[in-house]
Amino acid sequence: FDIIKRRFKQITDDLKLNFDIDGYLTKIQADILSGSKESYAASRGEYLNAIIAAAYLGFDFIDAADIIKFDRNGAFDDKLTDELCSKALSKSRYAVIPGFYGSDYDGNIVTFSRGGSDITGSIIAKAANAELYENWTDVDGFLTADPKIVSSPALIDTLSYRELRELSYMGASVLHAEAVFPVWSKNIPLKIMNVFKPQAHGTMIVPHENYDDTGKVITGIAGKKDFSVIYIEKKLMNNQLGYARKVLSVLEKHNVSFEHIPTGIDTMSLCIESRYLKGKVDIITEDIKNAVCVDNIIIMDGLALIALVGHGMRYKIGTAGRLCGALAKAGININLIDQGSSELSIIIGVDNKDYCSSIQAIYNEFLG
């Protein structure tokens, strides 16, 4: 803790701030030593940085713990938060608000998941009825593919909320996957900007109705590795009422969520992140067998999911054919394919070992 104290003292001294941060640091240290929860300690860096920024800028400081609220089960309370944020913001012309955390009804600190400051910014933009939410980060904006896989992928100029949601959820890590929802509810545009290159154009995210067709078949590619598939076969499955509900109730019982459910007339595939099945595969398989009659049940591991996302694919004939052809040419087998009902994305499943080469092949076909 002494190392941390010296660092913050150095920051305030370098900024020539006329206030003593020792009091804040002493209280935080005492709170941690007295047994405060891990989330409290995790939030204090954000808290102290916001206090320093407010002092340097001459703005009001509004503690996120006072306005961002969670219930006792850890669920975000959107209604109460909106009321508290609107009230607090109405009293300030300019304010600095720490991101990443809030508090429950008892005042205990609760944090969002990693990258949660993106969500805080979106919540504040919504409460302020902002014209625009700028999210300043360390990249120029959203890229069409992962630059660690594809060399110099193009920057995406404009995205719709729906495209952003698909890409963020499938692994594009520029913005937290849940950050879009608060601004989406009020159709507030969101812009990704690079704090180190403020002259860069950035990426604008807009409501669907304000999205102009770029003419491209796909907007971007994203993916994640390490999925498992529970493959179920049952003759005349389609004639058995409640079959899918009974299968999904097993996952609910074991607190396991699924990503996709590709189906056939006599088959069902449950696509699940492998980490959620760790130590549970045998009992889940047995419970499915007990819940419904199955002819066969197979577990397949080591699957990577890759999403092609874009409004253009719904208007272009042969998109799936081009996708399959590109992967076949690269010698890659598709284990799973699923297209959303909105025709905004196509999800494919390939072996983990083929993940990078699949993204490169898809990029070359559609965006290269």
Side-chain angles (χ1 to χ4, degrees):
F1 200 86
D2 286 340
I3 295 172
I4 294 171
K5 289 173 71 173
R6 286 196 298 272
R7 178 66 179 129
F8 276 104
K9 281 289 292 179
Q10 179 188 1
I11 293 171
T12 55
D13 290 344
D14 288 350
L15 293 175
K16 298 180 173 58
L17 295 181
N18 188 26
F19 87 103
D20 189 359
I21 200 168
D22 282 338
Y24 295 101
L25 290 163
T26 299
K27 182 180 185 308
I28 290 169
Q29 185 175 24
D31 290 342
I32 292 173
L33 292 174
S34 65
S36 62
K37 295 182 179 179
E38 184 178 337
S39 56
Y40 173 82
S43 71
R44 293 305 86 183
E46 188 84 12
Y47 169 79
L48 289 169
N49 280 317
I51 288 174
I52 292 171
Y56 182 75
L57 295 167
F59 291 176
D60 294 333
F61 169 76
I62 301 175
D63 192 352
D66 296 331
I67 59 174
I68 308 292
K69 289 297 178 179
F70 298 81
D71 65 23
R72 291 184 176 87
N73 295 319
F76 174 61
D77 189 328
D78 177 68
K79 184 178 179 181
L80 178 58
T81 294
D82 205 38
E83 292 173 358
L84 293 173
C85 286
S86 297
K87 184 177 179 180
L89 292 172
S90 68
K91 300 176 183 178
S92 295
R93 179 168 176 78
Y94 301 108
V96 177
I97 303 162
F100 176 60
Y101 72 90
S103 67
D104 62 20
Y105 301 154
D106 296 322
N108 300 309
I109 295 297
V110 180
T111 58
F112 290 110
S113 58
R114 185 174 178 82
S117 290
D118 295 340
I119 304 174
T120 306
S122 186
I123 291 168
I124 299 302
K126 175 191 174 187
N129 290 310
E131 294 179 4
L132 174 69
Y133 167 34
E134 290 183 350
N135 186 290
W136 290 80
T137 181
D138 59 353
V139 294
D140 289 348
F142 264 88
L143 300 175
T144 49
D146 187 344
K148 296 176 183 176
I149 299 173
V150 175
S151 177
S152 302
L155 181 73
I156 300 174
D157 181 70
T158 306
L159 282 168
S160 71
Y161 286 139
R162 290 176 181 173
E163 288 175 320
L164 170 68
R165 170 67 174 156
E166 294 276 354
L167 290 170
S168 294
Y169 186 73
M170 284 302 296
S173 58
V174 176
L175 192 76
H176 195 291
E178 297 175 20
V180 66
F181 293 116
V183 289
W184 193 345
S185 68
K186 287 194 174 180
N187 284 341
I188 298 169
L190 189 163
K191 193 167 189 180
I192 306 296
M193 299 291 289
N194 190 340
V195 70
F196 301 109
K197 291 172 60 179
Q199 73 278 9
H201 179 72
T203 297
M204 181 72 81
I205 297 101
V206 299
H208 176 69
E209 53 269 26
N210 296 340
Y211 179 79
D212 293 326
D213 185 9
T214 62
K216 294 182 178 179
V217 178
I218 68 171
T219 302
I221 309 162
K224 293 190 288 188
K225 298 169 73 172
D226 298 322
F227 285 86
S228 298
V229 173
I230 301 177
Y231 177 75
I232 301 169
E233 291 182 352
K234 172 61 181 175
K235 296 181 184 68
L236 300 176
M237 181 189 293
N238 63 307
N239 290 336
Q240 298 188 25
L241 294 176
Y243 195 93
R245 175 184 58 79
K246 292 174 184 176
V247 171
L248 295 180
S249 69
V250 174
L251 296 186
E252 182 180 9
K253 172 185 173 183
H254 293 284
N255 197 33
V256 172
S257 59
F258 65 89
E259 305 291 324
H260 302 279
I261 313 181
T263 60
I265 193 168
D266 293 326
T267 61
M268 174 188 298
S269 297
L270 306 174
C271 194
I272 301 164
E273 284 195 58
S274 300
R275 59 193 174 107
Y276 295 136
L277 291 174
K278 191 173 182 179
K280 298 180 179 180
V281 173
D282 291 340
I283 185 64
I284 287 176
T285 302
E286 192 62 31
D287 282 355
I288 290 175
K289 290 177 180 178
N290 292 332
V292 294
C293 294
V294 299
D295 294 333
N296 193 23
I297 184 167
I298 300 171
I299 308 295
M300 294 181 288
D301 297 315
L303 195 72
L305 294 187
I306 300 170
L308 288 73
V309 177
H311 290 283
M313 67 176 64
R314 74 172 67 182
Y315 308 113
K316 303 293 183 180
I317 296 172
T319 302
R322 288 177 63 188
L323 168 63
C324 295
L327 293 175
K329 186 177 179 181
I332 298 166
N333 182 52
I334 299 175
N335 295 318
L336 175 151
I337 187 165
D338 185 24
Q339 181 166 16
S341 57
S342 67
E343 297 184 50
L344 183 67
S345 66
I346 298 177
I347 310 291
I348 61 162
V350 299
D351 289 343
N352 274 340
K353 65 180 177 60
D354 294 325
Y355 175 69
C356 293
S357 53
S358 296
I359 289 180
Q360 184 68 65
I362 296 167
Y363 186 90
N364 292 343
E365 174 64 29
F366 290 96
L367 298 166

